[in-house]
Amino acid sequence: MAKIKLIINGNEVTGEKGDSVLTVCLNNGIYVPTLCHHERLTDIGSCRLCLVEIEGQKGYRPACCTEANDGMIVKTDTDEIKRLRRSMIELLFSERNHFCMFCEVSGDCELQKVAYAHGIEHAKYDYDQPRVRVDASRSYFVFDENRCILCQRCVRACSEIAGHNVLDLAGRSAETKIIADLNTTFGESSCTSCGTCLQICPTGALIDRKSAYLGRMEQCNITKSTCSFCSVGCGIEVVTRDNHILKINGDWSSLVNKGVLCVHGRFEPIHDKKERLIKPMIKKNHSLQEVELDEAIDYISEKCKEMNINTDNAIGLISPKATNEEANIFVSMFRKDMVGEFGPYTVLPNENQTATLSDISSSDCIVMYKMDPNTLVIGSFVKLAVRKNNTKLVLVDDNKNSFDTISSIKIKSDELNLAKEFLSRASNPLIIYTSGISEDEVKRLSGLSDKAKLMGFLAGANSRGLRNIGINSKIDVSKAKALYVLACDDELKDNFKRYNAAFVVLQTSYLTPEIEDADVVLPSPIWAEKTGSITNIDGLVQNVTKSLDSPVKTNEEIMKLLIDRLSR
């Protein structure tokens, strides 16, 4: 980009052609207050706090919406500008209930910070405080209109970042308010609870139930890590205090998700109420009883020798939530062809047809086969492609689908050939499907177009990493004499069975009814207690960083103890 020079407050500064005046100021360390601006959003200049004086132009201009030009002379801190900003802040405090001492965001509120920065310590105007609603219809968060300043950051984030287009403005003047869909509650709306609006809200209008009143950000630790819910591998920031997770934010700097998360990655992990498994258990007299780790390891070793269990008759199943480091140790305990992936299996396309996540935004036609990713991040990517890039969406589904309203056409699975016409007219077609479909179905999809790339959406966070070291799910578990399942903190329901194995070892994080099927149960850390790496659907190896101290040994430590004992 071409460099430009400006004079701001009497000093020469540089910027790039196309930058706004605000961007130039921020990049050169010049303070200009904002409330409606965010680096990921289109600027609209609604808060008017960034007003500046530009030589040769009448009145005052919003710095966020004014393009910087070479030779421009700008003033940001004149007495009149400061007076105007102070007046606008005082008006914001008079319009709604902004009693900071009662607000759960006090100390982290951007409105509060700009007020203090302008010397505002008390209210100048009488409080209007109209009666407005508090919408608590969602399980994970609350919308308190009393704290809203109508900056519209949530509205723009919902459409521009998350792609859901749920929020908008309604009413005029003092009656203006944020609405969901056609003025319904969040709970009744098409909101997916992705939480992008919460993360971007500058006040206490949108708050999550879990972290309210539990501490300011300056009292918390923030750990960058990778989400372990699905194979997208979203960048996250885990906010903790006193070894408790307060919230999970999207990492704006992540090249994978650029800050957007889904309900499964943002909220569900911190609202998990399952009881943790802390101590190993051995089945004695038909019931599991707690024992020390050494006793459990000794018992497994003795049983393996007693039952003549070896690499020819022992099978291992490993969760795709396991890190690459855990997987490498686990697979060393078995014959490589005797290790399978725990959970649902996705048939992948040929390597020369395989798509990446970036292909979603660059595609001009997407065929989505038997899939409804409305509450997944990949669903946001598809919505953004359709709504921002005018990508054609061909929906193949025999059932009702959340994407019905934005699809160009919906066809039944036995009418798949109707998709050929759309694919033939496209320059960069893409076909997306998920786990549970057969190899024959994948062949049919790949045969629809010579140009189309295919994306088999892997359910597990590290399914790609497991496959890279030769682990698959086509293994016949029914032939196992002994079965060792490294489930990590994965769901056991519908996934864990004893099959016909005479001896079963289960390594899991939670005390659930399913563990009763095991002979030995070993504890496992949860996702936030691990350090290692996982490989996302694109093959990108990403770091998993520990944000909590674990009450149990790492999976690697436990497996190494077992390997050592078995080798004696």
Side-chain angles (χ1 to χ4, degrees):
M1 299 292 289
K3 292 289 184 181
I4 57 174
K5 292 182 179 180
L6 295 80
I7 304 296
I8 300 181
N9 300 333
N11 299 312
E12 183 177 274
V13 298
T14 60
E16 294 184 347
K17 185 68 176 173
D19 282 349
S20 68
V21 172
L22 178 62
T23 299
V24 175
C25 289
L26 294 177
N27 289 343
N28 285 277
I30 301 169
Y31 174 71
V32 176
T34 64
L35 284 173
C36 66
H37 168 77
H38 189 276
E39 60 182 356
R40 287 293 316 280
L41 299 175
T42 301
D43 283 309
I44 58 174
S46 66
C47 74
R48 316 307 283 181
L49 291 187
C50 67
L51 292 179
V52 295
E53 181 183 318
I54 300 174
E55 189 174 286
Q57 297 187 20
K58 291 183 179 180
Y60 297 96
R61 309 289 298 175
C64 64
C65 296
T66 303
E67 184 175 343
N69 294 315
D70 196 48
M72 186 178 274
I73 300 174
V74 181
K75 293 179 181 178
T76 71
D77 61 354
T78 66
D79 290 341
E80 180 62 16
I81 289 174
K82 290 176 181 178
R83 186 190 66 79
L84 283 171
R85 288 174 181 161
R86 184 185 174 99
S87 295
M88 284 182 282
I89 296 166
E90 288 171 334
L91 286 170
L92 284 174
F93 272 92
S94 72
E95 289 176 349
R96 297 284 174 93
N97 183 350
H98 296 296
F99 284 117
C100 297
M101 65 286 291
F102 301 129
C103 183
E104 49 281 300
V105 186
S106 181
D108 291 321
C109 175
E110 293 180 38
L111 174 62
Q112 187 182 52
K113 288 175 181 175
V114 297
Y116 283 139
H118 288 78
I120 299 173
E121 297 177 348
H122 63 277
K124 179 178 180 179
Y125 303 110
D126 291 336
Y127 290 104
D128 182 18
Q129 291 188 11
R131 282 192 173 189
V132 291
R133 65 181 177 173
V134 176
D135 184 350
S137 57
R138 279 280 161 178
S139 300
Y140 300 127
F141 65 88
V142 174
F143 174 41
D144 184 355
E145 285 188 47
N146 296 280
R147 311 290 188 190
C148 181
I149 58 172
L150 297 172
C151 66
Q152 301 177 57
R153 270 163 55 161
C154 59
V155 176
R156 286 172 286 153
C158 188
S159 60
E160 295 177 17
I161 299 176
H164 298 306
N165 281 26
V166 176
L167 304 179
D168 207 343
L169 285 180
R172 292 187 177 186
S173 189
E175 302 298 320
T176 306
K177 62 181 180 179
I178 303 293
I179 62 169
D181 290 341
L182 298 177
N183 200 16
T184 186
T185 64
F186 271 89
E188 297 171 319
S189 73
S190 58
C191 170
T192 66
S193 290
C194 74
T196 309
C197 57
L198 276 73
Q199 185 172 336
I200 215 160
C201 178
T203 67
L206 282 157
I207 56 166
D208 68 271
R209 296 175 184 266
K210 189 74 174 179
S211 64
Y213 297 109
L214 294 183
R216 300 175 181 178
M217 292 299 288
E218 65 185 20
Q219 299 167 320
C220 300
N221 296 315
I222 299 175
T223 307
K224 285 182 180 285
S225 190
T226 304
C227 179
S228 65
F229 177 75
C230 77
S231 57
V232 172
C234 293
I236 59 174
E237 292 183 344
V238 186
V239 182
T240 58
R241 186 182 182 191
D242 296 332
N243 210 42
H244 287 84
I245 300 177
L246 301 191
K247 66 173 73 173
I248 299 171
N249 287 329
D251 182 0
W252 298 120
S253 65
S254 169
L255 297 177
V256 175
N257 58 312
K258 298 177 182 177
V260 66
L261 294 178
C262 68
V263 62
H264 311 289
R266 187 187 297 274
F267 294 118
E268 289 181 0
I270 60 174
H271 285 262
D272 187 355
K273 295 180 180 179
K274 294 192 292 291
E275 186 179 355
R276 286 292 300 273
L277 174 70
I278 304 300
K279 297 201 71 174
M281 306 177 85
I282 295 175
K283 186 166 284 183
K284 298 177 180 179
N285 299 321
H286 307 291
S287 67
L288 290 169
Q289 299 177 22
E290 288 187 353
V291 297
E292 296 300 323
L293 181 59
D294 283 342
E295 183 179 343
I297 297 295
D298 285 338
Y299 182 79
I300 296 171
S301 177
E302 290 165 7
K303 274 290 182 181
C304 288
K305 292 171 183 176
E306 176 188 319
M307 298 174 66
N308 193 27
I309 294 169
N310 53 56
T311 53
D312 292 326
N313 55 32
I315 284 180
L317 293 180
I318 182 169
S319 165
K321 286 193 172 187
T323 64
N324 291 316
E325 292 74 18
E326 290 170 334
N328 279 313
I329 295 175
F330 186 78
V331 78
S332 71
M333 300 168 66
F334 304 88
R335 264 181 26 201
K336 211 162 192 179
D337 61 341
M338 301 290 273
V339 183
E341 184 179 336
F342 177 71
Y345 182 71
T346 303
V347 179
L348 293 182
N350 296 327
E351 192 171 336
N352 61 342
Q353 286 184 296
T354 300
T356 62
L357 292 169
S358 62
D359 288 317
I360 297 175
S361 60
S362 62
S363 295
D364 51 357
C365 178
I366 297 174
V367 174
M368 200 155 66
Y369 182 78
K370 291 184 178 181
M371 187 176 179
D372 189 346
N374 190 44
T375 62
L376 301 176
V377 167
I378 197 170
S380 282
F381 297 166
V382 172
K383 288 179 182 179
L384 288 169
V386 172
R387 287 169 168 154
K388 293 177 74 173
N389 304 338
N390 295 317
T391 300
K392 301 295 182 185
L393 177 62
V394 179
L395 201 57
V396 184
D397 204 332
D398 299 326
N399 304 307
K400 187 177 179 180
N401 195 297
S402 303
F403 289 75
D404 287 346
T405 56
I406 64 170
S407 63
S408 300
I409 186 174
K410 184 180 181 181
I411 60 180
K412 294 183 177 180
S413 56
D414 59 1
E415 303 171 329
L416 192 55
N417 283 338
L418 296 178
K420 282 187 175 181
E421 183 180 348
F422 284 86
L423 292 169
S424 64
R425 293 200 300 261
S427 301
N428 300 298
L430 172 66
I431 300 171
I432 306 176
Y433 60 91
T434 190
S435 58
I437 71 171
S438 66
E439 288 191 30
D440 287 341
E441 287 177 289
V442 175
K443 287 180 182 177
R444 284 183 63 202
L445 291 172
S446 62
L448 290 176
S449 169
D450 293 333
K451 296 183 291 181
K453 290 184 177 181
L454 276 72
M455 176 180 289
F457 186 65
L458 296 161
N462 199 29
S463 290
R464 180 67 179 268
L466 299 186
R467 295 191 188 200
N468 286 350
I469 62 172
I471 297 173
N472 63 71
S473 281
K474 295 183 179 180
I475 193 165
D476 186 0
V477 184
S478 63
K479 294 179 180 179
K481 185 174 183 179
L483 176 64
Y484 184 178
V485 180
L486 178 57
C488 301
D489 56 353
D490 215 339
E491 288 288 338
L492 297 182
K493 191 176 182 181
D494 300 326
N495 291 327
F496 174 64
K497 301 180 208 175
R498 191 177 179 95
Y499 298 97
N500 296 321
F503 184 60
V504 177
V505 177
L506 171 65
Q507 196 163 345
T508 183
S509 301
Y510 300 108
L511 283 166
T512 59
E514 290 78 20
I515 70 172
E516 295 293 336
D517 277 345
D519 297 300
V520 181
V521 184
L522 301 173
S524 172
I526 62 170
W527 63 276
E529 298 164 354
K530 294 183 182 183
T531 294
S533 65
I534 57 177
T535 307
N536 83 338
I537 192 170
D538 286 351
L540 179 65
V541 179
Q542 299 181 101
N543 291 330
V544 174
T545 306
K546 178 179 177 179
S547 55
L548 295 178
D549 293 329
S550 177
V552 301
K553 286 184 177 293
T554 67
N555 289 328
E556 294 100 311
E557 288 173 323
I558 293 174
M559 287 188 288
K560 285 177 180 177
L561 284 172
L562 183 55
I563 290 170
D564 177 65
R565 205 65 53 87
L566 289 170
S567 65
R568 292 180 185 176

